[in-house]
Amino acid sequence: MKITMAENFGFCFGVKRAIKIAENTPHATTYGPLIHNKKEIDRLWRTYDVSLGEDIETFKSGDTVIIRTHGIEKEDLNYLNQKGVVLVDATCPFVTKPQEIVEQMSNEGYDIVIFGDENHPEIKGVRSYAKGAVCVVQNIEDFGSKRLSNKIALIAQTTRKMENYQRIASHLIANYGEVRVFNTICNATFENQEATRKLAQSSDIVIVIGGKDSSNTRQLLYIAKEFCVESYLVEGLEDIDPLWFRGKKMCGITAGASTPQWIIEQIHTAISTLPTQS
């Protein structure tokens, strides 16, 4: 069986930056998971004593707290500053940008529409910068009977599919007087998605490596399944089923933006040694 890696995969700029910040800030605590990869978070804890804290009330004055890659809500940021903790900001710059856009457009009287998952920490943080109306949607049907003003600013979660974002933008432009559209989808996300699409078309099995709670990794799996039904999401070696590979001739491998290279190499090695004859 031949194994082919996607042309683009794995750690994006924002994740690389956050990991480096954490490694350079030993004995700190992240507020929420630094990235959506449990194995890498465990490595940071074991190697650098960077622990995970999810209850904001547990932080005390003088504690060193790392803000996760996805950012946090503005109210939480203000609260931590008031508590006197030492803040180290690992928010991805591509997430900081939509925060700034939402705050500015909201101040200028625009209703905010966000294309994304309202339960995702990135979106919770971004929407907290709005002072007026905010509408979070994942498709056109989500608008339903929601009433918006005639001035709308549209942004997207950084890990969303561009073609779906374009549908949302077209719907708003056709139905409202003034629509300002900001391309906040991360270039690395777009490149990984395109590479996965290309890889899946030439594979009879695709392995997507990454955290199961990672939005961008789930998007890669969704794209892979469009072209290769036998596509699977794995977090580590324990998730691999040797039966998947029986009789396969071409295995494609890609990885989410929060997946470290050491996990990718582990899984690549394990797959390369599997018997694939039926």
Side-chain angles (χ1 to χ4, degrees), residues 92-109:
C92 174
F94 290 103
V95 174
T96 303
K97 187 62 179 176
Q99 291 175 350
E100 294 170 348
I101 292 170
V102 165
E103 187 166 45
Q104 179 184 343
M105 291 293 97
S106 183
N107 286 335
E108 293 181 15

Side-chain angles (χ1 to χ4, degrees), residues 50-64:
V50 174
S51 58
L52 169 63
E54 301 196 73
D55 183 354
I56 198 169
E57 299 295 337
T58 61
F59 298 122
K60 304 181 299 294
S61 177
D63 287 350
T64 300

Side-chain angles (χ1 to χ4, degrees), residues 34-242:
L34 182 69
I35 61 174
H36 281 156
N37 190 284
K38 295 175 183 176
K39 292 181 180 295
E40 182 65 3
I41 288 172
D42 183 60
R43 184 190 73 86
L44 290 172
W45 176 70
R46 287 184 288 101
T47 309
Y48 298 95
D49 191 27
V50 174
S51 58
L52 169 63
E54 301 196 73
D55 183 354
I56 198 169
E57 299 295 337
T58 61
F59 298 122
K60 304 181 299 294
S61 177
D63 287 350
T64 300
V65 178
I66 302 174
I67 298 175
R68 62 190 172 204
T69 319
H70 298 105
I72 62 176
E73 295 179 44
K74 188 176 182 180
E75 294 78 6
D76 287 348
L77 182 63
N78 292 338
Y79 179 77
L80 289 171
N81 275 316
Q82 291 168 4
K83 264 201 161 185
V85 304
V86 179
L87 285 177
V88 180
D89 193 358
T91 306
C92 174
F94 290 103
V95 174
T96 303
K97 187 62 179 176
Q99 291 175 350
E100 294 170 348
I101 292 170
V102 165
E103 187 166 45
Q104 179 184 343
M105 291 293 97
S106 183
N107 286 335
E108 293 181 15
Y110 288 81
D111 281 2
I112 306 299
V113 175
I114 304 174
F115 170 49
D117 177 1
E118 64 181 351
N119 295 314
H120 192 280
E122 176 188 326
I123 298 308
K124 288 181 178 180
V126 169
R127 73 177 297 168
S128 72
Y129 282 80
K131 294 183 178 179
V134 182
C135 177
V136 181
V137 299
Q138 298 206 56
N139 50 58
I140 293 172
E141 290 70 31
D142 284 348
F143 285 105
S145 58
K146 292 177 181 176
R147 299 177 65 85
L148 298 168
S149 76
N150 220 31
K151 290 176 61 176
I152 295 171
L154 173 66
I155 66 164
Q157 188 172 339
T158 54
T159 55
R160 290 284 148 166
K161 291 176 65 176
M162 180 60 73
E163 53 265 42
N164 293 344
Y165 189 40
Q166 290 170 334
R167 293 190 193 102
I168 299 292
S170 296
H171 170 77
L172 292 174
I173 291 169
N175 289 281
Y176 294 90
E178 181 181 352
V179 181
R180 296 194 63 177
V181 180
F182 297 87
N183 182 10
T184 54
I185 295 177
C186 174
N187 285 339
T189 294
F190 177 75
E191 290 168 359
N192 283 0
Q193 290 176 354
E194 287 303 302
T196 297
R197 183 175 288 108
K198 179 179 178 182
L199 178 73
Q201 292 179 57
S202 60
S203 303
D204 50 11
I205 181 172
V206 174
I207 300 300
V208 181
I209 309 170
K212 294 178 181 178
D213 55 355
S214 165
S215 174
N216 79 83
T217 302
R218 290 198 304 270
Q219 288 288 337
L220 294 182
L221 178 66
Y222 175 78
I223 291 169
K225 281 184 172 292
E226 287 185 278
F227 302 95
C228 179
V229 174
E230 292 196 57
S231 296
Y232 304 93
L233 172 58
V234 301
E235 287 190 338
L237 297 175
E238 66 279 5
D239 294 325
I240 296 174
D241 184 346

